[in-house]
Amino acid sequence: MLGKKLLAIGLLVLGATQLMAGPSAPANVDQRRMLSADREAGNWMSVGRTFDEQRFSPLTQINEGNVSQLGLAWYVDLPVDRGVEASPLVIDGVLYNIEPWNVTTAYDAATGKQLWRYDPQVNRDFGRLACCDIVSRGVAAWKGRIYLATLDGRLIAVDAKNGKPVWSVNTFEPVWPYTITGAPRVYDGKVIIGNAGAEGSARGYVTAYDAASGKQLWRFHTVPGNPADGYDDPAMAMAAKTWTGEWWKIGGGGTVWDAVAYDPKLKLIYIGTGNGGPWPWKVRSPGGGDNLFVSSIVAVHADTGKYAWHYQTTPEDEWDFTATQSIILADLTIAGKPRKVLMQAPKNGFFYVLDRVTGELISAEPYVAMNWANGIDKATGRPNINPEAHFGANPVLLTPGPAGGHNWQPMAFSPQTGLAYFPVTELYVAFSRNTSFKPVAGSMSQTGLSASGFDVTRKAMAEYAAKHNTVWLTAWDPVAQKERWRVPFPLRGSGGVLATAGNLVFEGTIHGTLAAFNAATGAKLWDSPIQQIAIAAPVTFTAGGEQYVAVNAGWGGGLAHSVDPRGLGVPLSKARLLVFKLGGKAALPAMHIRTDGLYRPPLVGVDISMTRTGEELYARHCAGCHGERAVGGVKDLRRMDKPTHGEFLDIVIGGKRKERGMASFADLISREEADAIHAYLIKRTNEDWNSISEE
Ligand code: CA
């Protein structure tokens, strides 16, 4: 009797502890806290802050009236020289961050004191498979654990107290060259994660795991497998009717590499899917077809992973038009009626507003100049695709380019202004087909584009592009489908966006600053040099009653492809995590400008026919990471120092820099071919020497 009574009291106490558990245990996030996240505005508990992924903070301590007093509170150097794309989480005074190679850290959010560091020892061979750098866009938190997804495919739960691993599962099907760069999301005790790989050949999917145990709960494939094996879902039988040929042998693409949003009332998960893989439509699906669910927004039931509805933004994709960009949920009044909407500004240049209950298209208008399509057929929801956009061997100038009108840089939405904020790139690219392209399962060179030889047509196109390529931060009204203001930039590469109730929009800029703009007008209110380019989206939080703004800054990722910000005079330090507050007095160290090591390799003895072969091989194997024509990329190869030139074969064939993400290419190219690539790079360095050496 007494025992029972004690037990009852024990349960009661346990219940009370659970109710109050919030601040008492680290990262004790649960469904109840996430549903009322706006009542604890000082926390940033999920990568998009809330289930609706708005990246809007209700905090007002830092506002349009005082943001000019923002100063550095603390910073830490990150031990990498690569792109950093993560938005940190901040929960009850602890900041959780993730660096390249998925090194995960926790800091006292007010002081920057490191609490723990966990290195999952990512297999460096996967560096070569990542199309766009060894990045991660964030972590998730749930009931005392931090969840990270690694480049090499593991989903790992670590104890939020000390960073010690609790469980780890492999999320990959072994057939395809997958990587993970996206942030996991947790809802209702389930961790959801997708992957990347459609630049090679891969079959996209997302998987939900039990947050407590790591047990797989469901998996949803985004493109059908071999019909002979039967379909794992009726939705796949439907999707298979939009494919022809033997697509399953080469993957199909549609990888879910970034956006995920969750509606707890509708119990739906929304995923954005990537481009078709391989890129050429008629190589992937010789008889045509829309190729579902490539380049689509798909709603699946959160509990079961079963298909609910889809909206395909780009049927017949062969332009790398992923629909993986930020998916934001909001309740908007449209034509006098309250609507539950989903918003996305994917690569293809349209800003979409969908009914998130049914998937019905409410509106879609171009947010950037486009010529691949001429509007959307409102009756069918399909884009009116310009037939010339299905290019062949002759170059066709298209916009947006494969980098998209908007890429992964997170979009923010302010319910206060009713505006969506995101960086826009108007980019003209000459597309032409390598007509002898044959897809190879598992290879990472599946674009099927011909190398950028400079014939007369292409030269004219490049000149047109150089005059018309434009970049800006937009404030987009999703109800009116109109731009309200824009802030122009000289080069692409500005970062993701944070919006706050202080009537502010924060963004890292290509000028090497973190800037704050008036959310209603776009007027610049504050701008601080950070010795780096912050491509990641900032977050804001409170610790000890004070509001802070935090941002990761590390130039790289896909945005660095063919972009060289040194021309703007931006000095680049090591990657950093920087945290600001009103009256912050911390100072960055004096900048050490790297002028050492610039080397002009002699052209004497370099065979011109070899450089042509090298150009083709470079475009096929190297441009994905190192930029078209060797401009920009994760390492600008026109800036190799003398020792690197000397070790070129040891690196490319011998794998000497595998630890830094450059694994051997011996399985794909011969020593002679590597020599040809080297000859091409020597030629390119000499061609651009004047501009390189003047910077
Ligand atoms: Ca892609």
Side-chain angles (χ1 to χ4, degrees):
M1 189 67 194
L2 187 66
K4 264 191 185 166
K5 201 172 176 184
L6 276 178
L7 186 67
I9 291 167
L11 282 174
L12 199 70
V13 171
L14 187 67
T17 315
Q18 276 176 340
L19 279 177
M20 299 170 58
S24 65
N28 201 5
V29 178
D30 58 17
Q31 190 80 352
R32 183 186 56 84
R33 285 186 80 184
M34 280 303 294
L35 289 174
S36 56
D38 280 349
R39 270 186 257 147
E40 34 180 320
N43 285 327
W44 193 285
M45 298 189 287
S46 177
V47 70
R49 205 184 83 82
T50 43
F51 283 144
D52 52 25
E53 302 270 328
Q54 289 184 355
R55 290 178 179 267
F56 170 80
S57 168
L59 294 176
T60 55
Q61 200 181 92
I62 299 169
N63 55 55
E64 59 186 310
N66 62 17
V67 69
S68 61
Q69 297 157 36
L70 212 54
L72 192 62
W74 59 269
Y75 71 92
V76 289
D77 286 335
L78 307 181
V80 282
D81 203 1
R82 302 290 287 258
V84 187
E85 297 185 357
S87 294
L89 302 187
V90 185
I91 304 157
D92 306 325
V94 179
L95 185 148
Y96 302 93
N97 200 25
I98 186 162
E99 302 169 3
W101 298 123
N102 308 110
V103 172
T104 303
T105 48
Y107 301 92
D108 180 312
T111 65
K113 182 185 168 227
Q114 188 171 296
L115 305 176
W116 54 257
R117 181 172 193 274
Y118 169 65
D119 183 348
Q121 302 290 333
V122 168
N123 179 346
R124 269 31 180 185
D125 282 333
F126 282 78
R128 209 185 83 183
L129 301 181
C131 78
C132 309
D133 214 344
I134 51 169
V135 297
S136 167
R137 297 190 197 86
V139 294
W142 200 259
K143 296 192 175 174
R145 289 173 185 171
I146 299 297
Y147 299 85
L148 56 136
T150 63
L151 196 74
D152 56 7
R154 291 167 289 155
L155 179 67
I156 302 173
V158 301
D159 189 325
K161 280 198 293 291
N162 51 27
K164 296 242 158 51
V166 178
W167 58 253
S168 171
V169 293
N170 175 31
T171 73
F172 284 172
E173 293 174 350
V175 192
W176 308 110
Y178 294 115
T179 53
I180 301 180
T181 55
R185 270 78 165 181
V186 191
Y187 61 91
D188 200 20
K190 300 176 187 71
V191 198
I192 184 159
I193 189 70
N195 48 48
E199 255 54 77
S201 280
R203 183 186 180 203
Y205 60 89
V206 288
T207 317
Y209 297 88
D210 178 20
S213 66
K215 185 182 163 232
Q216 183 176 321
L217 301 174
W218 55 256
R219 175 165 290 178
F220 178 80
H221 281 98
T222 58
V223 299
N226 186 350
D229 298 337
Y231 298 113
D232 44 3
D233 186 305
M236 286 297 103
M238 170 180 78
K241 294 194 181 106
T242 67
W243 291 80
T244 55
E246 299 182 311
W247 72 89
W248 61 89
K249 289 186 175 169
I250 43 172
T255 46
V256 186
W257 57 262
D258 201 25
V260 175
Y262 165 63
D263 185 317
K265 289 210 181 86
L266 297 170
K267 290 190 189 292
L268 291 176
I269 288 285
Y270 305 96
I271 59 173
T273 72
N275 53 281
W279 281 16
W281 175 41
K282 293 287 180 76
V283 170
R284 194 169 69 232
S285 187
D290 287 353
N291 296 177
L292 294 174
F293 300 108
V294 158
S295 301
S296 302
I297 296 161
V298 186
V300 300
H301 293 285
D303 288 338
T304 59
K306 295 291 179 203
Y307 167 89
W309 57 255
H310 76 275
Y311 178 84
Q312 188 174 39
T313 57
T314 310
E316 308 175 7
D317 171 55
E318 53 186 341
W319 310 279
D320 194 15
F321 282 165
T322 67
T324 53
Q325 284 58 43
S326 307
I327 290 175
I328 292 181
L329 313 182
D331 294 345
L332 301 179
T333 303
I334 297 175
K337 284 193 201 136
R339 302 290 297 263
K340 288 177 182 298
V341 311
L342 173 159
M343 293 177 268
Q344 191 190 49
K347 277 189 184 178
N348 77 8
F350 286 103
F351 190 100
Y352 293 90
V353 180
L354 305 184
D355 181 319
R356 72 173 182 271
V357 183
T358 62
E360 175 207 345
L361 175 73
I362 295 174
S363 62
E365 294 296 334
Y367 61 82
V368 66
M370 67 163 70
N371 62 3
W372 73 276
N374 178 22
I376 304 265
D377 181 329
K378 293 286 165 9
T380 61
R382 288 175 66 89
N384 301 312
I385 297 174
N386 176 357
E388 286 169 33
H390 284 301
F391 57 94
N394 295 325
V396 175
L397 192 67
L398 293 176
T399 175
H406 167 225
N407 208 312
W408 63 269
Q409 305 102 296
M411 174 165 84
F413 172 77
S414 165
Q416 215 165 357
T417 60
L419 300 175
Y421 306 94
F422 57 99
V424 179
T425 301
E426 188 167 326
L427 181 68
Y428 295 82
V429 170
F431 281 87
S432 62
R433 181 73 61 224
N434 171 3
T435 47
S436 61
F437 168 73
K438 294 264 185 306
V440 179
S443 157
M444 279 306 288
S445 317
Q446 306 284 343
T447 67
L449 298 181
S450 67
S452 43
F454 263 61
D455 55 32
V456 176
T457 316
R458 207 184 290 266
K459 203 164 172 232
M461 287 177 175
E463 279 164 12
Y464 182 92
K467 281 198 201 110
H468 291 84
N469 288 344
T470 340
V471 180
W472 65 95
L473 168 65
T474 193
W476 190 265
D477 180 338
V479 176
Q481 287 281 17
K482 279 198 177 117
E483 185 172 280
R484 292 303 180 199
W485 54 257
R486 72 165 66 175
V487 176
F489 290 103
L491 264 182
R492 71 180 190 271
S494 293
V497 184
L498 160 71
T500 78
N503 197 31
L504 295 172
V505 166
F506 288 89
E507 190 193 29
T509 78
I510 190 71
H511 297 293
T513 65
L514 180 65
F517 304 94
N518 180 307
T521 67
K524 189 164 83 181
L525 302 174
W526 172 79
D527 198 17
S528 177
I530 55 173
Q531 303 177 348
Q532 251 297 351
I533 297 164
I535 51 177
V539 303
T540 187
F541 61 92
T542 56
E546 275 190 292
Q547 186 182 352
Y548 295 79
V549 175
V551 71
N552 278 306
W555 176 244
L559 293 176
H561 191 278
S562 311
V563 176
D564 186 2
R566 273 169 275 218
L568 299 175
V570 178
L572 296 179
S573 69
K574 267 200 172 289
R576 279 193 181 122
L577 165 65
L578 303 115
V579 181
F580 296 83
K581 67 173 184 176
L582 294 174
K585 293 281 189 287
L588 293 172
M591 186 66 201
H592 169 66
I593 309 276
R594 279 204 325 236
T595 51
D596 53 312
L598 212 52
Y599 171 67
R600 183 175 191 170
L603 257 177
V604 180
V606 173
D607 186 323
I608 288 302
S609 71
M610 204 163 148
T611 65
R612 288 207 190 99
T613 311
E615 181 175 11
E616 290 283 338
L617 290 163
Y618 176 89
R620 187 164 170 82
H621 297 293
C622 318
C625 289
H626 293 285
E628 264 175 64
R629 307 188 72 240
V631 176
V634 298
K635 177 174 172 59
D636 192 317
L637 297 177
R638 301 168 305 165
R639 292 188 167 84
M640 286 189 284
D641 58 15
K642 198 173 178 185
T644 305
H645 276 282
E647 295 177 335
F648 194 83
L649 280 181
D650 295 335
I651 296 167
V652 176
I653 302 297
K656 193 168 182 178
R657 298 223 176 136
K658 177 181 158 175
E659 283 311 302
R660 290 163 63 176
M662 174 66 197
S664 165
F665 276 70
D667 56 329
L668 292 172
I669 53 179
S670 66
R671 294 181 79 85
E672 291 68 32
E673 288 174 325
D675 275 335
I677 292 169
H678 193 194
Y680 168 66
L681 291 171
I682 291 170
K683 173 171 163 269
R684 287 290 301 119
T685 306
N686 278 276
E687 281 169 354
D688 291 358
W689 185 252
N690 286 344
S691 65
I692 297 169
S693 56
E694 275 168 17
E695 285 159 13

